[in-house]
Amino acid sequence: MLINKWYKTLNSHEWLPIEVEWEYASRADTTTSFYFSETMEKSQVLRVNSTQIVCETIDGEVVIVNLDKGYYYSLLKTGAEVWSRIERQIDRYSLIQEMTQIYDGSVEEITAGMDEFLANLQQEELIITDSDTKSVDINNSTAKTAQTTERPRFEKPILEKFTDMEDLLLLDPIHEVDVEAGWPNAKTT
């Protein structure tokens, strides 16, 4: 149709960009942690990219599945704490404030660890930033609890990525599965 007509008009030296080229073009030659700057703005609210991912917390571990790519991820300890706050849509500044109230560590150490972690989440397209959404208020009970008890040492949050089930997660359970064997057995050709 229209795309076929357009494709036929291309010269031999023109092509449709591949995924890597689109990614490079969308970053516009940036070398910073985030495509817009080295750090996030104070007003940008972090939220789960719910159009591409599903997640569940099981016994303190957050399991995240990227439905578009077929990857799954694991967050433990500090990473799970951060994720629970991102789920309620919080801005970077408030997130770091909460982490400094909960954990023992310098503001610089916590900020650096959080920025690296948030950059990883954004690079994997698990979270997105939104300037139009309002951030939630800091949880005052968190501050009170942190003052009355000994705070645990801050550990950099780690995003564990797994690609070993990519083929299974991307299988269409209706059209690409062997009817006799059932899911997760792919049709043999």
Side-chain angles (χ1 to χ4, degrees):
M1 294 168 274
L2 183 59
I3 192 76
N4 289 337
K5 286 181 182 178
W6 177 77
Y7 193 72
K8 288 177 185 176
T9 64
L10 292 175
N11 296 330
S12 62
H13 65 278
E14 296 175 322
W15 69 94
L16 292 172
I18 60 174
E19 182 180 0
V20 172
E21 293 168 325
W22 276 114
E23 184 69 28
Y24 179 78
S26 67
R27 288 190 52 89
D29 287 336
T30 60
T31 56
T32 56
S33 297
F34 303 99
Y35 71 90
F36 44 82
S37 71
E38 191 59 49
T39 59
M40 290 186 197
E41 292 179 30
K42 190 174 178 178
S43 63
Q44 287 183 317
V45 174
L46 308 166
R47 64 183 178 88
V48 174
N49 188 359
S50 57
T51 60
Q52 291 185 2
I53 66 132
V54 292
C55 61
E56 188 69 37
T57 303
I58 304 165
D59 292 331
E61 176 184 10
V62 178
V63 178
I64 306 165
V65 178
N66 185 321
L67 299 172
D68 288 346
K69 295 181 180 179
Y71 304 151
Y72 66 101
Y73 306 84
S74 173
L75 300 174
L76 297 168
K77 301 178 184 176
T78 312
E81 285 279 340
V82 171
W83 187 262
S84 71
R85 284 158 175 77
I86 292 172
E87 284 185 311
R88 58 174 222 242
Q89 301 183 352
I90 189 169
D91 63 85
R92 175 189 165 274
Y93 178 76
S94 298
L95 179 61
I96 290 172
Q97 258 191 325
E98 284 192 24
M99 293 296 110
T100 56
Q101 290 173 351
I102 295 171
Y103 293 103
D104 180 33
S106 70
V107 174
E108 294 80 19
E109 174 191 11
I110 292 173
T111 301
M114 295 300 298
D115 282 344
E116 182 182 333
F117 181 64
L118 295 174
N120 288 339
L121 291 175
Q122 202 167 33
Q123 181 180 356
E124 293 295 326
E125 300 174 1
L126 301 178
I127 65 168
I128 53 178
T129 58
D130 190 352
S131 299
D132 299 331
T133 305
K134 288 243 184 214
S135 179
V136 295
D137 292 332
I138 293 177
N139 187 348
N140 289 329
S141 64
T142 303
K144 290 175 188 171
T145 304
Q147 290 172 359
T148 59
T149 61
E150 190 173 316
R151 299 181 305 166
R153 182 82 186 128
F154 175 76
E155 294 177 24
K156 276 176 53 172
I158 297 171
L159 176 66
E160 290 185 90
K161 178 179 178 179
F162 302 93
T163 59
D164 58 331
M165 291 184 54
E166 178 180 4
D167 294 338
L168 291 177
L169 291 172
L170 294 177
L171 265 182
D172 179 346
I174 296 173
H175 301 100
E176 298 174 348
V177 172
D178 184 334
V179 177
E180 298 296 321
W183 192 87
N185 300 302
K187 284 183 183 177
T188 54
T189 53

